[in-house]
Amino acid sequence: MTEAPLISVENLTRHYKVGEEEVRALDGVSFDVMRGEWVAVVGQSGSGKSTLMNLIGALDTPSGGSYRINGHDVEKLSDDQLADLRNNEIGFVFQTFQLLSRSTALANVELPLVYRGLPRKERKERAVKALEAVGLANRMHHKPNELSGGQRQRVAIARALVGNPSLLLADEPTGNLDSATGEEIIRLFGELHQRGHTILLVTHEPRLAARCPRAIRLSDGKVVADGPGADVASLGAPPVPSPHPGAAA
Amino acid sequence: MKTVRRAWAELVEGLRIAFGALAGARLRTFLTTLGIVIGVSTVITIVAIIQGLDRSFEEQIQFLGAHTLYVDRQPWIQSDDTWWMYRNRQKISVTELKAVQRESQLALSVAPMVGIRGKVARGGVELESVVLRGTTEEYLNANGGAVQAGRFLVSSDVELARPAIVLGTDVMDRLFPDEPAAAVIGKRVLVAGRPFQVVGVLERQGQLLGMPLDNVAVMPYPTFGRIFGAQRNMVLSVAAPPGKIADLESELTPILRRARHVQPGKADDFAFNRQEQFLKLYKQLTSALYGMAVGVGLITLIVGGIGIMNIMLVSVHERTREIGVRRALGARRSTILVQFLIESAAVAALGGAVGTALGLGVAQLVALLSPLAAAATPSAIVFGIAFSTATGLLFGIWPAWRAANLDPVEALRYE
Ligand SMILES: Nc1ncnc2c1ncn2[C@@H]1O[C@H](COP(=O)(O)OP(=O)(O)OP(=O)(O)O)[C@@H](O)[C@H]1O
Ligand SMILES: [Mg+2]
């Protein structure tokens, strides 16, 4: 039996026009991700990792190609439908946490459910559960500036999970954390993977990518490797000096 | 159901965010609303003063009975350049009075009025410029009003041309300081040097457009004629049954035309005056004031609105990342739009409420410190707040639209 992939990307491109020049941030990317997979996305700075995540997360629209997420043809959706897709199917975790600074942890976590139109009581129940799941039951009424970096990222993960999305997207979630705290966060992702969540994780650290069952390596907007995390991560471990250095730094 | 709940949840969230943002920047909120506060309070003050004027004018105008026609040879309200048209008209005289008394079916009562300003004296006191009025016993029926002491003129006073006089309260107060009205009855006074006997004192009537109505002394018109000449122009007060004033006018027109020998085809050489016309004139005057209030209000609201727009643009700019986060979590463009509209409407409503309170306070102060009876109606209050809220909405559209149309990716990356 062949199950339909959760993410199916075909020849996806994203070009930016900078002045007269065209930057091919994504240059024909194709891959599938099955439900329950944990995939690391690696590559040098500027290789198009964030661009890819923003497209899959329905925050951005592609220049060409097509992709499906949980059966939705994303490139054909209207702006409102994209918003609903983000709300229902996607959980985002950002490098810079992106919490609302004036709101408590609880209010931050409730937010996706507000936009889903759930009643207040249910919102609160689910937000409390999500915070408990990331080990922050005792920090619910704290504002982000009263929390440590690791705790903030946990709140962000709780917020990403609270709507029960089919896909978790994390763009360098450990980038702003020290290695011990980063390790904790990665362990949390491991647990979520165990519980059946589908995760796409961008990381710079080969060590982290190596722990993922699968990794995709991007270079200049193209997929250059796709395989078991350990293999793909080691590929780029000592960055190979290129005879043609990239145009942009 | 789900969309309703979603809209409701977003509205509540919008209000929560709005008040959170406003409370988070109190000084800025205060400065933002200042324009609106000043605008609304100015308008409320002006409106309160106008409404106070309205009320006191309506009280004043009561003395001109609502159901009374005043027949004169000229209209009382005329534009500046038409007065000469009436100058050579024949005076209204006893002939017309008798004709109306004889022929009118509708008239409830008819009273003539002749008038002049003259001296009234008693002992050492001499009043220079009292309105001396000649009329009949019908005067009160036709014009309204009442005596507070003694009696009014009776028909025999008129038939016999008695030297009987009824005093207005101002005249009484100045001729007989500290004496109660009842004590004045039967006293002798000199009118234009001739002896009269006081038979009654009128109730106080107040003033009309600043003119005192109680500086008056009323006598039989034949008596008046003997002293000041019988050839004076008369005004006839003719009282109509309620609602029949127009009918009365059409009935009187042929009677008067006949009495005054107006040729068929020629225009009337007399005019009907009534309270309504004063109301109309007054409305014209106050509508100019209202226009001013509206003008001031509009200008300040525009200034206030631009202030709000400016601050909202700054707010959108500062909260770019917040907007990106909300969009990433599933907020639609319309959600963001509504959120910022709520915020600008809330600031403006706040300013409107403060401005209204301030305006009412100033109006109270004006009422206390001046003879103007400033008084605002509840509708003015509702209007003040509603109008400023609408201003907030209007001037919030552009910033809210900008917020709603931010690119989510750009917004999230914004430093
Ligand atoms: N808004 C934009 N306008 C123009 N070029 C852009 C824009 N966003 C990204 N790019 C370009 O697209 C390319 C890919 O950028 P992207 O952010 O996806 O890289 P990345 O792999 O996430 O890098 P990093 O690891 O540093 O985050 C880069 O060359 C970048 O300069
Ligand atoms: Mg990136």
Side-chain angles (χ1 to χ4, degrees):
Chain A
M1 169 214 121
T2 52
E3 193 200 351
L6 181 65
I7 307 173
S8 178
V9 178
E10 253 190 71
N11 205 22
L12 199 61
T13 58
R14 178 69 167 97
H15 300 169
Y16 292 105
K17 253 208 140 65
V18 180
E20 289 298 292
E21 231 179 307
E22 198 173 52
V23 179
R24 299 179 166 230
L26 277 187
D27 194 10
V29 169
S30 303
F31 63 87
D32 286 355
V33 174
M34 304 305 287
R35 207 172 286 277
E37 274 196 285
W38 182 12
V39 183
V41 178
V42 296
Q44 290 185 338
S45 185
S47 56
K49 306 183 293 296
S50 294
T51 305
L52 177 65
M53 294 297 264
N54 290 336
L55 284 174
I56 293 177
L59 277 171
D60 196 8
T61 44
S63 311
S66 64
Y67 63 126
R68 295 168 69 80
I69 291 171
N70 205 14
H72 302 280
D73 286 314
V74 183
E75 80 280 359
K76 289 182 188 149
L77 298 181
S78 71
D79 196 77
D80 278 359
Q81 288 171 321
L82 287 176
D84 292 349
L85 183 80
R86 293 195 291 272
N87 188 256
N88 291 307
E89 307 282 358
I90 314 282
F92 273 107
V93 179
F94 301 94
Q95 178 175 351
T96 51
F97 319 134
Q98 304 281 25
L99 299 175
L100 300 190
S101 55
R102 280 195 302 268
S103 305
T104 62
L106 189 65
N108 265 290
V109 175
E110 272 187 45
L111 207 50
L113 304 182
V114 170
Y115 295 131
R116 199 178 287 187
L118 294 189
R120 175 182 291 273
K121 195 161 155 274
E122 190 181 340
R123 262 172 12 214
K124 183 159 182 201
E125 278 169 14
R126 288 178 64 167
V128 168
K129 266 203 201 108
L131 280 166
E132 281 168 353
V134 298
L136 280 179
N138 55 349
R139 293 285 186 277
M140 286 194 289
H141 301 292
H142 290 230
K143 300 224 169 124
N145 61 1
E146 299 158 352
L147 296 170
S148 74
Q151 286 170 334
R152 284 182 214 185
Q153 197 57 301
R154 282 166 189 272
V155 173
I157 292 171
R159 184 179 65 183
L161 289 173
V162 74
N164 213 3
S166 49
L167 178 61
L168 211 52
L169 298 177
D171 194 348
E172 298 194 44
T174 61
N176 278 21
L177 303 173
D178 61 62
S179 55
T181 318
E183 178 61 30
E184 270 176 45
I185 294 296
I186 291 299
R187 219 181 295 139
L188 183 55
F189 276 108
E191 280 169 30
L192 294 172
H193 170 57
Q194 295 289 314
R195 277 192 251 146
H197 285 278
T198 312
I199 302 166
L200 227 59
L201 173 98
V202 172
T203 179
H204 262 120
E205 298 176 54
R207 193 172 48 83
L208 297 182
R211 289 166 52 177
C212 298
R214 178 184 168 195
I216 293 173
R217 175 170 295 277
L218 291 182
S219 178
D220 287 340
K222 290 194 171 70
V223 176
V224 293
D226 185 348
D231 300 356
V232 175
S234 62
L235 266 176
V240 189
S242 160
H244 308 290
Chain B
M1 183 59 213
K2 182 144 186 187
T3 49
V4 170
R5 209 164 49 206
R6 179 176 165 145
W8 172 248
E10 285 177 2
L11 190 73
V12 172
E13 175 75 2
L15 280 169
R16 214 184 55 75
I17 298 164
F19 284 104
L22 298 183
R26 279 193 205 105
L27 179 66
R28 186 202 281 176
T29 305
F30 169 73
L31 291 174
T32 309
T33 54
L34 206 58
I36 296 267
V37 169
I38 293 171
V40 170
S41 59
T42 310
V43 173
I44 292 279
T45 307
I46 298 178
V47 169
I49 289 173
I50 297 173
Q51 286 179 340
L53 282 177
D54 280 353
R55 212 174 291 170
S56 63
F57 182 78
E58 268 158 34
E59 280 162 18
Q60 290 172 23
I61 200 85
Q62 291 312 312
F63 98 98
L64 288 177
H67 308 297
T68 304
L69 277 182
Y70 298 88
V71 181
D72 198 346
R73 62 175 167 166
Q74 64 190 21
W76 290 350
I77 298 168
Q78 35 186 279
S79 46
D80 290 339
D81 49 353
T82 52
W83 60 270
W84 54 270
M85 288 169 53
Y86 313 112
R87 265 189 23 146
N88 297 324
R89 281 183 175 180
Q90 192 188 332
K91 286 165 182 152
I92 309 260
S93 68
V94 182
T95 316
E96 287 88 333
L97 171 65
K98 294 275 186 287
V100 172
Q101 280 171 335
R102 203 170 47 237
E103 297 174 43
S104 175
Q105 303 290 313
L106 276 173
L108 295 179
S109 58
V110 186
M113 293 190 291
V114 282
I116 195 170
R117 279 181 183 265
K119 288 181 188 168
V120 179
R122 173 205 162 245
V125 193
E126 185 178 75
L127 306 180
E128 279 295 332
S129 181
V130 174
V131 174
L132 304 175
R133 188 164 289 158
T135 185
T136 66
E137 71 281 2
E138 290 289 317
Y139 178 81
L140 291 183
N141 294 335
N143 289 295
V147 288
Q148 55 164 308
R151 61 169 177 82
F152 195 69
L153 303 175
V154 294
S155 54
S156 59
D157 291 333
V158 178
E159 281 152 24
L160 304 173
R162 277 191 194 127
I165 197 150
V166 180
L167 301 181
T169 48
D170 279 359
V171 177
M172 182 199 83
D173 286 346
R174 283 183 293 158
L175 284 183
F176 305 95
D178 306 324
E179 282 191 59
V184 172
I185 310 303
K187 293 266 169 74
R188 286 164 63 86
V189 295
L190 290 177
V191 177
R194 282 156 228 246
F196 272 74
Q197 188 176 33
V198 178
V199 296
V201 176
L202 292 170
E203 296 265 25
R204 180 170 295 282
Q205 287 196 308
Q207 54 170 24
L208 173 68
L209 300 174
M211 293 185 319
L213 299 172
D214 298 304
N215 181 31
V216 68
V218 185
M219 66 186 80
Y221 79 89
T223 317
F224 181 97
R226 278 191 197 159
I227 303 173
F228 301 106
Q231 295 311 306
R232 295 192 163 266
N233 182 55
M234 262 181 189
V235 173
L236 304 183
S237 311
V238 190
K244 291 269 197 254
I245 198 157
D247 296 344
L248 179 64
E249 202 174 304
S250 7
E251 188 201 46
L252 291 185
T253 304
I255 297 176
L256 289 164
R257 284 178 70 94
R258 256 192 321 277
R260 289 167 72 77
H261 308 292
V262 180
Q263 300 298 316
K266 292 248 168 141
D268 293 346
D269 64 349
F270 51 90
F272 295 104
N273 297 285
R274 39 172 142 155
Q275 186 201 57
E276 213 178 80
Q277 294 165 327
F278 281 87
L279 282 174
K280 223 152 106 192
L281 177 72
Y282 176 77
K283 288 266 150 67
Q284 279 173 8
L285 289 172
T286 51
S287 71
L289 269 177
Y290 265 119
M292 201 176 84
V294 169
V296 170
L298 232 54
I299 289 168
T300 45
L301 282 180
I302 286 172
V303 171
I306 289 173
I308 286 186
M309 182 163 80
N310 198 20
I311 290 295
M312 288 307 294
L313 283 171
V314 172
S315 175
V316 168
H317 188 74
E318 277 180 357
R319 286 152 72 190
T320 300
R321 260 161 77 107
E322 175 193 320
I323 294 162
V325 171
R326 291 179 185 279
R327 294 278 279 137
L329 298 181
R332 297 179 178 179
R333 279 198 181 126
S334 55
T335 310
I336 302 294
L337 188 85
V338 168
Q339 179 194 317
F340 278 91
L341 281 181
I342 288 175
E343 196 167 315
S344 57
V347 187
L350 205 71
V354 173
T356 302
L358 200 69
L360 291 179
V362 174
Q364 284 292 321
L365 215 65
V366 169
L368 272 178
L369 301 180
S370 78
L372 294 173
T377 58
S379 67
I381 298 167
V382 172
F383 208 73
I385 295 176
F387 215 73
S388 41
T389 309
T391 307
L393 277 179
L394 186 69
F395 285 89
I397 289 175
W398 166 234
W401 188 87
R402 294 245 318 227
N405 284 285
L406 284 174
D407 177 59
V409 176
E410 298 285 329
L412 280 167
R413 256 214 312 250
Y414 185 81
E415 300 289 323

